[in-house]
């Protein structure tokens, strides 16, 4: 912050002189005095950081000057300094937007000094908040979702469309595909949401019995252990966005309550009868196939349609082609930057190895693998042997460790493909190079489900 | 009258150690306050209690600043009665006391 400009408006020359001298003991303060309200108003264009305004001026009353200041420069804090110890006047002035009310007694100068420091501190904090907000906006800007694949370009377009409106968005995709990143990108790209909160709730991480209170809040004494009133996540997200991650894990009874909240646009805290209006944009994510969950009776159909909104399905990394290299390089660059290391290259062999791998843990796994490679490599080059896959759920070893019969393995493989390709028997038969009648026969024998 | 009717310690604290500033404040006090005192008396004499109250309101912080504690209550009474148009014996006696003490303070400050 540059110099801190203070207007001191008081027709008492002696008092004004004393206060100016005192405030000027801080060399950051530039104190300018005015003897009338009109002089002060005429100089507002110079944008003071703070105004100390005497309540009794010869030309205009303190409240008139305050109103005129607030009309045109509502952000300038105005501290009323008055010889009157009148509580009702003070309350009226504070209601009109005065920052503080100081009585001209023996402590007045000290209180004015403190008020100036408080305003200065608040201004610094506001600057800091603006700077951090810009940083966060940039961090989660959707241009930071790396990749060039056609499938990702479609995702960019959907995020843009989602950001332009208030539509509910359902984000699906395997674990590690970046569902939360997309939710953040939608929130932070929505211009009307930037100053409102994004409240994320991981449904799977909260025990069922606590989830209702977590989402909707509770009143003091609503249940054993509710020692204080608590505001729920929906209320906290008011005006902003609530992101319900792993929505597929929500208990059926709570699904009914969530549906009601979404329909009525109001929440009622546990133990209260008073609904609270909410206006929060809803984003949901799941790695489950919700339609399938509905079919199996594990997810309410009405809630499914309420939440579906704009569906964004994130592709697994293995279907994003060359994005794995772009992302891999990005993660290595970020890692070396954060650790102040020299730049590291990916050799063609390393890139080939990355492209051949299935990445079951998706982007999250890629990030971990690349960071480890950056640590293990020599001569600022990541080679094929520096890349070690650590997935716990992939590979033949894992598959055959179940020790089943060959027929069972066949059934598992075919069922996996049927699940993956929307029960399209013809497509699966073609992909596995088997007869479709073979699949139909297994279905008929109830060995497979379609 | 007691020896010293004023106390400059508050002013010195505000001055942050600058004697020049204290001297300049004393000069300003001596320059303006006698005139304000005259105006108060004239306002009272012509029955303009509103004006009397307004001047008392303005002079009050200066009296506090110079810690002229002998008339702490009297100046407030003059302000209050003046603003509320209450012409009472207390108003007259308080004004007289304010005048007497201030005139003594002017002398003391000139001789300091």
């Amino acid at each position: 912050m540059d110099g801190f400009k203070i207007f001191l408006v008081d027709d008492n020359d002696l008092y004004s002189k004393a206060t100016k001298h005192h405030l000027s003991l801080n060399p950051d303060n530039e104190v300018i005095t005015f003897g009338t309200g009109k002089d002060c108003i005429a100089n507002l264009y110079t944008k003071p950081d703070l105004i100390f305004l005497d309540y009794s001026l010869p030309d205009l009353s303190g409240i008139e000057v305050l109103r005129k200041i607030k009309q045109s420069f509502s952000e300038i804090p105005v501290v009323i300094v008055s010889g009157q110890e009148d509580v009702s006047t003070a309350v009226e002035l504070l209601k009109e937007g005065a920052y503080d009310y100081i009585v001209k007694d023996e402590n007045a100068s000290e209180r004015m000094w403190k008020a100036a420091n408080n305003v200065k501190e608040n201004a610094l904090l506001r600057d800091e908040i603006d700077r951090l907000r810009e940083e966060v906006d940039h961090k989660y800007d959707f241009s930071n979702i790396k990749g060039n694949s056609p499938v990702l370009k479609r995702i960019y377009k959907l995020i843009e469309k989602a950001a332009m409106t208030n539509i509910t968005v359902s984000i699906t995709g395997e674990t590690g595909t970046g569902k939360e990143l997309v939710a953040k990108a939608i929130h932070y790209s929505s211009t009307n949401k930037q100053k409102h909160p994004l409240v994320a709730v991981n449904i799977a991480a909260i025990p069922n019995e606590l989830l209702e209170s977590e989402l909707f809040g509770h009143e003091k004494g609503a249940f054993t252990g509710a020692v204080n009133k608590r505001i729920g996540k929906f209320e906290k997200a008011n005006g902003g966005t609530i992101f319900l991650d792993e929505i597929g894990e929500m208990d059926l009874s709570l699904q009914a309550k969530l549906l009601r909240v979404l329909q009525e646009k109001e929440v009622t805290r546990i133990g209260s009868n008073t609904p609270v209006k909410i206006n929060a944009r809803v984003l949901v994510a799941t790695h489950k196939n919700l339609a399938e969950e509905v079919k199996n009776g594990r997810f309410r159909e009405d809630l499914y349609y309420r939440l579906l909104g704009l569906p964004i399905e994130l592709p697994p990394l293995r279907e994003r082609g060359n994005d794995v290299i772009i992302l891999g390089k990005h993660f290595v660059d970020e890692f070396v930057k954060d650790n102040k290391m020299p730049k590291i290259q990916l050799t063609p062999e390393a890139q080939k190895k990355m492209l051949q791998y299935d990445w079951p843990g998706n982007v999250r796994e890629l990030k971990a693998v690349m960071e480890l490679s950056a640590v293990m490599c020599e001569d600022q080059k990541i080679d094929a042997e520096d890349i070690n896959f650590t997935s716990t759920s992939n590979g033949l070893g894992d598959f055959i460790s179940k020790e089943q019969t060959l027929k069972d393995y066949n059934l598992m493989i075919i069922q996996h493909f049927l699940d993956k390709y929307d029960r399209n028997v013809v497509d699966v038969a073609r992909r596995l190079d088997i007869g479709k009648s073979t699949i139909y026969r297994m279905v008929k024998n109830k060995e497979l489900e379609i | 009258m007691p020896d010293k009717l004023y106390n400059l310690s508050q002013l010195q604290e505000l001055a942050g150690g600058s004697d020049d500033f204290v001297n300049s404040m004393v000069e300003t006090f001596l320059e303006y306050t006698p005139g304000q005192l005259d105006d108060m008396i004239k306002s009272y004499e012509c029955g303009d209690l509103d004006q009397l109250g307004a001047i008392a309101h303005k002079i009050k912080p200066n009296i506090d600043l110079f810690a002229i504690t002998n008339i702490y209550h009297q100046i407030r009474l003059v302000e209050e009665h003046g603003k509320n148009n209450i012409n009472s014996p207390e108003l007259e006696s308080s004004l007289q006391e304010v005048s007497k003490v201030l005139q003594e303070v002017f002398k003391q400050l000139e001789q300091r």
Side-chain angles (χ1 to χ4, degrees), chain A residues 187-201:
Chain A
H187 173 78
Y188 289 105
S189 305
S190 305
T191 48
N192 58 336
K193 300 290 178 195
Q194 281 176 358
K195 291 195 174 172
H196 294 286
L198 167 69
V199 178
V201 189

Side-chain angles (χ1 to χ4, degrees), chain A residues 245-276:
Chain A
D245 199 4
E246 299 296 1
I247 188 75
E249 306 300 323
M250 187 179 274
D251 189 68
L252 271 170
S253 64
L254 198 55
Q255 287 177 25
K257 290 175 183 166
L258 174 62
L259 178 67
R260 190 171 163 71
V261 167
L262 298 177
Q263 277 170 344
E264 305 298 325
K265 292 190 187 303
E266 59 186 31
V267 288
T268 306
R269 293 182 207 137
I270 304 172
S272 166
N273 291 319
T274 316
V276 179

